[in-house]
């Protein structure tokens, strides 16, 4: 039971208002989650993937008891998020808003001790637990400085430390590497992996960085527009596109290229993105080699200048594109709102 | 690693001692935070003196040498300086209690720490209680020091009348005050706004408490409303004990009994409203949105 998550038909509708000038507003419902069901097994790192506005933060907030669901249920460590909300809070460690959840005027140690008190540790135990976390995360040099003097990476590390205070069997980490530079993000991922492998903690990890999910997670779920689009082990999801060929074409590519390429019979999906300022067209087709000549021809007809063509292995990002028809960089928040 | 065990009860269920400990950890955290803003205590002490000085000087300017005589006829005491100083000192305690709870919620919404508190199994009412204890301790010490300094500057004896009864009125007035601030905090949680409400509240509180005048000079209907406001009883109790202006019910213990009623009713109402609004917020946008 400990370290498990069971979600059944979870839905959430926000009641908002669409503002019309100074005084007028129209009531409006926004469905952020639409009947999601999934299970997380004990001891796994479970990735929750989706672009901004897909509904993953809403789901995380329900799981961490910050929000009440509109319908459906969720049980963490065997406790219901509505009926046993305090038991859920006591047995789950959360890092939800990065470094925003810390008192910047307090030192790192003072933060940990204070939150230890809110997790019902005795005064002696909360000091001991704070010291353990400081040692574990090698925060010794910073522990007695006020948090406002920390770098972003150090603040995120402390925020992660805060999620460990109650030594919970289940951790919820919402985009923990957001705002971190590459070495700091890599260090944090290593600590997460260590917590999972050495202490058997179950970890729910949300991210919009596909490469991160690919290297870290045992299983992933892709959600968009509040719906569960795919769930499974990373190799399985990639294998589900087994007969697909991925071709990336970089250069000066007009936006109409997407529609033009999609019109080709063998092409199942096409998206246009940008890598280091250069437009990149990602094309999925059933017979890559045969389609390549037609692709070059079509792109030439619409005035594209091709700089580089790279046939590639299927990545998790490709799985996402195949399931959603869009890249992760595209924000779904506005569209979610519009789809009532 | 040293093994630390959580209490052997259902997770999230805490003993009263643990909750008291969490409450006082909040008081400590608040004190640590304010200690890093230098100059706060100075401001705390200066405010009631300046606040009281204005009507005192206005009284002297308008009534001249007869100020004390005129004041005695209307209020029951000639010590108008003490009257103003006590009024402004208790006003600062009351006003700060509202400011601190509102700013606590608003500030923590903006910094994200409110969500961090909501992620722990300690109920927010205990965290709010910690903030309330911190606020009233800080303000009461500040107001007392200000009263002493103000008395020295204006040339009156600060220790007169029955100090023990005056202290009882302050002590009993602080608990209903906590209940009222919790009610007020619930509004901040819902409306996600503190400043405009605080500005309005300042004037209402100032008026109802009779900071610069006895409420007996107010119209009858306004007096009735003022008497529904617990700090009015606290201020009048302190003034009556120290300056002899007269208890509303003639005897100190009868006025104190009214405060006892407020001591039970106001926190219950405050906690009920806070929990109710908190649930409504969790049902929709959540506590972290501001």
């Amino acid at each position: 039971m400990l370290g498990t998550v069971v979600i059944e038909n979870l839905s959430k509708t926000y009641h908002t208002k669409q503002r019309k000038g100074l005084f007028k507003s129209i009531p409006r419902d926004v469905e952020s989650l639409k009947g999601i069901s999934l299970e997380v097994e004990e001891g796994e790192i479970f990735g929750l993937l989706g672009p901004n506005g897909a509904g993953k933060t809403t789901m995380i907030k329900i799981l961490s008891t910050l929000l009440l669901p509109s319908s459906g249920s969720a049980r963490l460590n065997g406790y219901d998020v509505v009926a046993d909300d305090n038991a859920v809070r006591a047995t789950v460690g959360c890092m939800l808003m990065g470094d925003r959840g810390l008192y910047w005027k307090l030192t790192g140690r003072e933060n940990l001790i204070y939150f230890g008190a809110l997790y019902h540790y005795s005064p002696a135990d909360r000091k001991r637990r704070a010291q353990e976390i400081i040692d574990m995360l090698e925060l010794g040099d910073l522990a007695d400085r006020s948090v406002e003097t920390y770098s972003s990476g150090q603040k995120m590390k402390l925020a992660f430390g805060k999620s460990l205070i109650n030594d919970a069997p289940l951790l919820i980490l919402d985009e923990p590497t957001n705002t971190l530079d590459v070495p700091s993000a890599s260090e944090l991922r290593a600590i997460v992996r260590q917590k999972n492998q050495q202490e058997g903690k179950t970890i729910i990890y949300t991210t919009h960085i596909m490469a991160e999910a690919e290297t870290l997670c045992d299983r992933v779920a892709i959600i968009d527009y509040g719906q569960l689009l795919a769930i499974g082990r990373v190799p399985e999801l990639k294998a589900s596109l087994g007969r697909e060929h991925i071709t990336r074409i970089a250069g000066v590519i007009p936006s109409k290229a997407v529609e033009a390429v999609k019109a080709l019979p063998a092409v199942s999906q096409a998206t246009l993105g940008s890598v280091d300022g250069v437009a990149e067209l990602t094309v999925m087709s059933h017979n890559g080699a045969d389609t390549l000549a037609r692709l070059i021809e079509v792109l030439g007809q619409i005035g594209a200048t091709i700089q580089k063509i790279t046939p590639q292995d299927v990545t998790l990002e490709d799985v996402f594109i195949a399931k959603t028809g869009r890249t992760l960089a595209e924000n779904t928040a506005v569209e979610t709102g519009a789809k009532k | 690693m040293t093994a630390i065990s959580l209490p052997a009860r259902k997770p999230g269920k805490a003993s009263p001692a643990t909750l008291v400990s969490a409450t006082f950890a909040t008081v400590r955290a608040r004190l640590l935070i304010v200690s890093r803003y230098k100059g706060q205590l100075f401001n705390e002490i200066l405010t009631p003196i300046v606040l009281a000085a204005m009507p005192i000087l206005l009284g002297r300017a308008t009534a001249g040498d007869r100020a004390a005589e005129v004041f005695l006829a209307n209020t029951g005491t000639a010590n108008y300086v003490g009257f103003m100083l006590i009024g402004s000192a208790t006003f600062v305690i009351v006003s700060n209690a509202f400011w601190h709870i509102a700013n606590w919620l608003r500030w923590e919404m903006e910094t994200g720490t409110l969500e961090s508190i909501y992620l722990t199994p300690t109920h927010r009412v205990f965290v709010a209680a910690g903030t309330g204890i911190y606020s009233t301790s800080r303000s009461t010490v500040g107001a007392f020091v200000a009263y002493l300094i103000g008395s020295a500057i204006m040339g009156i004896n600060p220790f007169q009348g029955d100090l023990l009864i005056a202290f009882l009125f302050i002590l009993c007035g602080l608990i209903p005050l906590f209940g009222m601030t919790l009610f007020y905090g619930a509004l901040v949680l819902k409306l996600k706004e503190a400043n405009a409400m605080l500005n309005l509240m300042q004037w209402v509180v100032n008026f109802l408490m009779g900071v610069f005048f006895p409420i007996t000079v107010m119209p009858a209907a306004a007096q009735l409303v003022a008497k529904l406001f617990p700090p009015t009883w606290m201020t009048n109790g302190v003034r009556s004990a120290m300056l002899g202006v007269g208890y509303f019910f003639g005897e100190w213990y009868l006025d104190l009994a009214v405060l006892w009623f407020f001591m039970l009713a106001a926190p219950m109402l405050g906690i009920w409203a806070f929990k109710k609004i908190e649930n409504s917020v969790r049902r929709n946008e959540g506590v972290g949105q501001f």
Side-chain angles (χ1 to χ4, degrees), chain B residues 39-50:
Chain B
Q40 281 281 347
L41 190 62
F42 176 71
N43 182 44
E44 208 96 301
I45 292 168
L46 193 67
T47 307
I49 299 173
V50 173

Side-chain angles (χ1 to χ4, degrees), chain A residues 26-222:
Chain A
I26 302 167
R28 181 164 174 258
D29 288 347
V30 176
E31 255 187 295
S32 187
L33 286 181
K34 299 170 186 168
I36 287 187
S37 298
L38 59 87
E39 290 187 16
V40 179
E41 290 159 21
E42 186 188 345
E44 70 175 342
I45 303 183
F46 186 85
L48 201 54
L49 311 180
N52 292 329
K56 60 185 192 299
T57 298
T58 298
M59 186 194 256
I60 289 297
K61 285 193 170 183
I62 291 173
L63 296 184
S64 57
T65 74
L66 289 175
L67 283 177
L68 293 170
S70 302
S71 63
S73 68
R75 294 180 79 82
L76 284 78
N77 298 317
Y79 300 111
D80 186 89
V81 290
V82 179
D84 302 313
D85 54 349
N86 249 8
V88 171
R89 290 182 193 120
T91 57
V92 175
C94 297
M95 177 185 176
L96 299 195
M97 29 275 119
D99 57 11
R100 286 190 69 246
L102 300 166
Y103 290 95
W104 287 25
K105 280 285 173 190
L106 296 181
T107 66
R109 187 188 304 278
E110 287 165 348
N111 266 284
L112 294 174
I113 289 174
Y114 176 49
F115 282 104
L118 299 185
Y119 277 103
H120 304 160
Y121 282 120
S122 70
D125 278 351
R126 66 185 80 138
K127 280 183 191 162
R128 211 181 311 152
R129 183 66 185 152
Q131 188 58 52
E132 281 176 4
I133 291 168
I134 288 164
D135 293 342
M136 189 193 307
L137 301 180
E138 296 171 0
L139 290 167
D141 294 342
L142 308 166
D144 297 307
R145 271 172 36 196
S146 49
V147 173
E148 63 191 344
T149 65
Y150 290 16
S151 69
S152 291
Q154 291 163 339
K155 282 178 194 147
M156 292 294 266
K157 211 167 167 184
L158 180 67
F160 177 66
K162 183 170 76 65
S163 73
L164 301 177
I165 286 175
N166 55 340
D167 199 14
L170 174 63
L171 292 178
I172 297 177
L173 309 176
D174 188 17
E175 306 200 347
T177 55
N178 227 356
T179 76
L180 288 187
D181 56 26
V182 174
S184 304
S186 168
E187 189 189 358
L188 194 70
R189 277 195 294 271
I191 299 170
V192 169
R193 200 174 288 116
Q194 186 192 14
K195 287 276 138 201
N196 170 256
Q197 288 172 353
Q198 292 181 4
E199 297 175 29
K201 290 189 189 297
T202 306
I203 294 165
I204 297 180
Y205 194 99
T206 79
T207 181
H208 60 268
I209 306 166
M210 287 294 178
E212 184 170 79
E214 208 164 335
T215 55
L216 195 63
C217 300
D218 299 312
R219 282 197 310 147
V220 297
I222 295 174

Side-chain angles (χ1 to χ4, degrees), chain A residues 12-16 61 64-68 70 79 81 84-92 94-97 99-103 105-107 110 113-115 117-123 125-126 128-129 132 136 146 162 166-167 195 199, chain B residues 1-7 10-14 18-19 21-23 25-30 32-33 36-37 104 107-124 127 279 281-290:
Chain A
K12 177 71 185 173
T13 302
Y14 292 106
H15 305 292
T16 63
K61 285 193 170 183
S64 57
T65 74
L66 289 175
L67 283 177
L68 293 170
S70 302
Y79 300 111
V81 290
D84 302 313
D85 54 349
N86 249 8
V88 171
R89 290 182 193 120
T91 57
V92 175
C94 297
M95 177 185 176
L96 299 195
M97 29 275 119
D99 57 11
R100 286 190 69 246
L102 300 166
Y103 290 95
K105 280 285 173 190
L106 296 181
T107 66
E110 287 165 348
I113 289 174
Y114 176 49
F115 282 104
L118 299 185
Y119 277 103
H120 304 160
Y121 282 120
S122 70
D125 278 351
R126 66 185 80 138
R128 211 181 311 152
R129 183 66 185 152
E132 281 176 4
M136 189 193 307
S146 49
K162 183 170 76 65
N166 55 340
D167 199 14
K195 287 276 138 201
E199 297 175 29
Chain B
M1 192 189 292
T2 320
I4 295 173
S5 53
L6 283 165
K10 185 179 178 183
K13 286 271 181 208
T18 313
L19 292 171
S21 179
T23 302
T26 303
V27 177
R28 184 176 178 274
R30 296 275 119 209
L32 284 171
I33 291 169
R36 277 144 213 186
Y37 291 96
W104 163 63
W107 176 255
E108 302 227 4
M109 266 180 207
E110 288 176 16
T111 57
T113 42
L114 191 63
E115 283 196 341
S116 285
I117 290 170
Y118 270 82
L119 292 172
T120 71
T122 298
H123 197 279
R124 282 65 57 193
V127 183
N279 261 345
V281 170
R282 280 177 65 214
R283 212 169 288 124
N284 200 19
E285 74 275 13
V287 292
Q289 202 178 78
F290 54 92

